């Protein structure tokens, strides 16, 4: 029997679900959020080992520019009580071509590019106008790739490589990324990114949960939704794994859309079923979490996070997803994320918390359990190329395989960026937040507007607005 009926139930306590829930609660709707894990946040949370604090995936946020940033406006609207930090240098790219620090402030970023590539300043200025939307010819999704866009400016091999490296968080090489999607990502992530919540990502998730509760919403943690119930056009309730049932006038599925539509509800059409099964997920990841007993400045002169790209070609990085020899090569790339460089409270005094990140193929559980230790040793060896002596200072080691990510987030094949950002899955071609059921809406990086934490948060806000209109009608 249902305990009560809500205006809306949000399923999934990742960033999109938390934002959707907070927005609905702020708007005065009776709201219940259900999260299968015992802590909220999904990819945007943290855990602790022996005094070291580690983020589970997300390393920074974008869109927090005061008065104008997309995420800033959303957080202001829901009255979020959370402070953010922003380091001067967000990361340093280290490659055979060049080593270049990437400032967080957009003006400083452009000036850095002008200084490193003085002969290409004019072309960079034209590219900057395109990135900033100062053009009369907006691009349409599916018409061109990001590689085709930047090739128009005849950049040098070194500059092209660096721009493609900055796009790496979409999980695809530039010639595969949808052009407008790449520009949108570049505009927000690169030019309005690098923000970090004080206290780590878990602090942000807890602040969003508190915003929900402060405005009268309810949150259930540690309970998994297994099914929705209703007719072909309208849902009326959902059931938890423990047998409890809850009723609502509307629902937001802020989780893996494939699981929601193919497993939790019934009567989906054959055409929609095929479309969902044909969608391609982005790569997953393997992460090694290290607590070390010294400041990183003792091991390197480089500032910020460190992106080591010894291959010199982004395509070789993506080839490693299908080539075991390259995957387990200590000569490969690694992204070294150091949250304690931004917020020292993330590690004991005089120490650092590190996350060594690489994209990784899904494979299967046996593969990753058999090769987990080998992968840890490989990634630490890669990091030691730019952090000499790292192994001598390790105090804590933990790891996450693609299977870990799939179990924890519920995301299809542990995909870190939702669906691939290819043209046929971007823009209006990306999965719609509207479903065959009049009162079921989708949120998260599986639906529009796209990949990344800021986009996922925005999808939660948009889903809440759709629910509001539905309830009003």
């Amino acid at each position: 029997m249902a305990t009560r009926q809500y205006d809306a139930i949000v399923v999934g306590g990742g960033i999109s679900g938390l934002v959707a829930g907070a927005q609905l609660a702020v708007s005065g709707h009776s709201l219940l959020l259900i999260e299968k894990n015992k802590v909220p946040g999904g990819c945007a949370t943290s855990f602790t080992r022996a005094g070291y604090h580690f983020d589970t995936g997300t390393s920074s946020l974008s869109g927090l520019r005061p008065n104008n940033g997309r995420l800033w406006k959303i957080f202001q609207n829901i009255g979020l009580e959370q402070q953010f930090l922003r380091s001067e240098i967000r990361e340093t790219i280290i490659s055979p071509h060049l080593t270049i620090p990437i400032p967080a402030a957009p003006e400083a970023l452009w000036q850095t590019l002008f200084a490193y590539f003085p002969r290409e300043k004019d072309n960079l200025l034209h590219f900057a106008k395109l990135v900033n939307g100062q053009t009369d010819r907006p691009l349409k999704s599916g018409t061109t790739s990001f590689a085709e866009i930047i090739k128009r400016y005849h950049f040098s091999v070194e500059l092209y490589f660096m721009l493609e490296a900055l796009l790496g968080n979409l999980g695809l090489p530039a010639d595969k990324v949808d052009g407008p999607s790449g520009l949108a990502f570049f505009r927000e992530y690169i030019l309005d990114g690098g923000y970090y919540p004080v206290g780590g990502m878990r602090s942000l998730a807890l602040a969003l949960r508190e915003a929900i509760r402060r405005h009268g919403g309810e949150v259930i943690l540690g309970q998994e939704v297994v099914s929705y119930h209703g007719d072909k056009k309208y849902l009326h309730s959902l059931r938890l794994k423990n047998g409890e049932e809850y009723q609502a006038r509307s629902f937001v599925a802020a989780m893996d859309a494939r699981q929601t539509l193919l497993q939790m509800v019934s009567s989906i059409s054959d055409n929609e079923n095929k479309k969902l099964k044909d969608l391609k997920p982005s790569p997953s990841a393997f992460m090694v979490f290290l607590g070390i007993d010294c400041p990183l400045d003792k091991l390197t002169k480089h500032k910020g996070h460190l992106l080591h790209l010894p291959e010199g070609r982004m395509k070789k990085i993506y080839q490693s997803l299908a080539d075991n020899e390259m995957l387990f090569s200590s000569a490969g790339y690694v992204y070294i994320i150091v949250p304690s460089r931004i917020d020292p409270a993330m590690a004991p005094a005089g120490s650092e918390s590190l996350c060594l990140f690489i994209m990784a193929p899904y494979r299967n559980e046996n593969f990753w359990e058999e090769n987990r230790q080998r992968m840890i040793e490989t990634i630490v060896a890669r990091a030691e190329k730019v952090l000499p002596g790292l192994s001598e200072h390790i105090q804590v080691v933990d790891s996450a395989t693609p299977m870990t990510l799939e179990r924890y987030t519920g995301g299809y094949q542990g995909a870190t960026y939702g669906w691939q950002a290819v043209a046929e899955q971007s823009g209006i071609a990306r999965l719609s937040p509207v479903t065959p059921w009049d009162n079921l809406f989708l949120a998260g990086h599986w639906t529009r507007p796209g990949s990344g934490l800021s986009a996922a948060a925005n999808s939660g806000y948009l889903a809440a607005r759709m629910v509001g209109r539905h309830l009003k009608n």
Side-chain angles (χ1 to χ4, degrees):
M1 295 293 294
T3 54
R4 60 172 288 194
Q5 177 167 309
Y6 298 86
D7 289 331
I9 295 178
V10 176
V11 180
I15 189 71
S16 62
L18 290 167
V19 167
Q23 177 61 36
L24 287 164
V26 166
S27 301
H29 300 297
S30 59
L31 179 281
L32 173 65
L33 184 144
I34 303 171
E35 162 59 36
K36 72 182 183 72
N37 293 311
K38 294 181 180 180
V39 294
C43 287
T45 191
S46 313
F47 65 95
T48 302
R49 295 285 186 273
Y52 293 89
H53 306 286
F54 304 100
D55 298 319
T56 54
T58 304
S59 60
S60 66
L61 293 90
S62 57
L64 281 169
R65 184 170 60 253
N67 302 315
N68 196 32
R70 178 167 61 174
L71 209 55
W72 185 90
K73 293 177 181 177
I74 292 173
F75 288 169
Q76 287 291 305
N77 191 56
I78 62 180
L80 183 72
E81 297 179 357
Q82 173 67 51
Q83 293 182 312
F84 296 92
L85 303 169
R86 200 184 194 197
S87 59
E88 183 179 350
I89 302 299
R90 62 181 298 170
E91 63 194 22
T92 299
I93 296 177
I94 306 164
S95 78
H97 302 309
L98 79 165
T99 295
I100 178 170
I102 305 299
E107 299 81 6
L109 171 59
W110 291 120
Q111 292 304 318
T112 297
L113 294 180
F114 297 155
Y116 274 77
F117 304 99
R119 296 182 179 179
E120 303 186 67
K121 183 175 181 179
D122 288 343
N123 286 340
L124 276 168
L125 286 169
H126 289 296
F127 178 64
K129 288 183 178 180
L130 179 66
V131 170
N132 291 321
Q134 299 169 339
T135 175
D136 296 330
R137 292 185 175 183
L139 297 170
K140 295 181 180 179
S141 288
T143 59
T144 186
S145 69
F146 188 75
E148 290 171 319
I149 291 174
I150 54 181
K151 283 178 180 177
R152 297 174 186 174
Y153 299 94
H154 305 289
F155 292 136
S156 64
V157 171
E158 292 81 4
L159 180 51
Y160 178 96
F161 173 77
M162 198 212 68
L163 294 175
E164 188 175 28
L166 289 174
L167 200 69
N169 279 294
L170 285 177
L172 285 172
D175 61 356
K176 299 293 184 183
V177 172
D178 173 59
S181 298
L183 281 176
F185 177 85
F186 206 97
R187 183 178 301 120
E188 183 160 286
Y189 179 80
I190 305 302
L191 300 185
D192 188 22
Y195 300 94
Y196 189 76
V198 174
M201 291 296 166
R202 184 174 183 176
S203 177
L204 171 62
L206 294 177
L208 286 165
R209 183 186 66 175
E210 179 56 31
I212 292 173
R213 290 175 169 174
R214 190 168 63 248
H215 293 284
E218 299 176 35
V219 178
I220 295 177
L221 299 174
Q223 294 294 338
E224 186 174 358
V225 174
V226 294
S227 60
Y228 294 86
H229 302 277
D231 56 37
K232 291 184 178 180
K233 294 296 291 181
Y234 202 84
L235 303 177
H236 57 69
S237 66
L238 55 74
R239 184 171 290 119
L240 304 185
K241 196 171 186 178
N242 65 6
E244 292 181 356
E245 187 173 314
Y246 294 89
Q247 294 181 351
R249 297 166 60 198
S250 57
F251 301 84
V252 176
M255 55 177 289
D256 174 18
R258 201 174 187 274
Q259 182 181 355
T260 298
L261 298 179
L262 295 181
Q263 298 177 27
M264 292 187 176
V265 292
S266 57
S267 303
I268 191 169
S269 72
D270 291 341
N271 185 52
E272 290 160 338
N273 187 305
K274 183 178 185 305
K275 179 180 178 181
L276 277 168
K277 290 184 176 180
D278 286 345
L279 290 171
K280 297 180 177 63
S282 67
S284 189
F286 194 107
M287 292 178 278
V288 179
F289 305 98
L290 299 180
I292 64 172
D293 63 3
C294 70
L296 211 66
D297 291 347
K298 182 177 179 179
L299 305 179
T300 180
K301 63 180 181 180
H302 302 305
K303 302 300 181 183
H305 305 320
L306 307 177
L307 179 55
H308 185 216
L309 302 168
E311 295 92 341
R313 291 174 56 224
M314 293 302 294
K315 278 197 172 183
K316 287 194 71 175
I317 290 173
Y318 298 104
Q319 287 170 4
S320 68
L321 293 171
D323 186 324
N324 279 2
E325 185 176 345
M326 295 175 68
L327 181 66
F328 292 106
S329 169
S330 62
Y333 89 105
V334 62
Y335 188 27
I336 304 169
I337 302 166
V338 199
S340 53
R341 276 189 150 182
I342 308 171
D343 183 352
M346 294 297 285
S351 303
E352 303 276 18
S353 295
L354 280 64
C355 172
L356 312 183
F357 176 101
I358 68 164
M359 287 182 292
Y362 178 68
R363 302 293 170 84
N364 59 55
E365 191 156 10
N366 288 338
F367 176 86
W368 283 116
E369 286 311 308
E370 290 172 3
N371 291 285
R372 181 192 287 264
Q373 187 58 37
R374 181 184 178 190
M375 192 80 260
I376 291 172
E377 293 169 1
T378 294
I379 295 175
V380 171
R382 293 183 182 187
E384 206 147 21
K385 299 286 176 61
V386 289
L387 300 175
L390 171 65
S391 297
E392 301 169 15
H393 296 278
I394 295 174
Q395 301 296 303
V396 173
V397 182
D398 207 336
S399 63
T401 73
M403 307 304 295
T404 311
L405 298 180
E406 183 179 53
R407 282 194 300 268
Y408 187 75
T409 67
Y412 180 53
Q413 294 193 358
T416 50
Y417 313 110
W419 306 120
Q420 289 182 7
V422 292
E424 57 269 27
Q425 297 180 174
S426 299
I428 61 171
R430 202 170 186 86
L431 199 61
S432 172
V434 177
T435 74
W437 293 269
D438 293 342
N439 62 336
L440 173 63
F441 305 91
L442 303 180
H445 59 191
W446 303 96
T447 184
R448 300 170 195 163
S451 303
L453 186 138
S454 180
N458 191 43
S459 78
Y461 172 77
L462 296 174
R465 295 289 298 271
M466 291 178 183
V467 168
R469 289 193 292 270
H470 169 78
L471 293 172
K472 184 176 180 181
N473 292 332

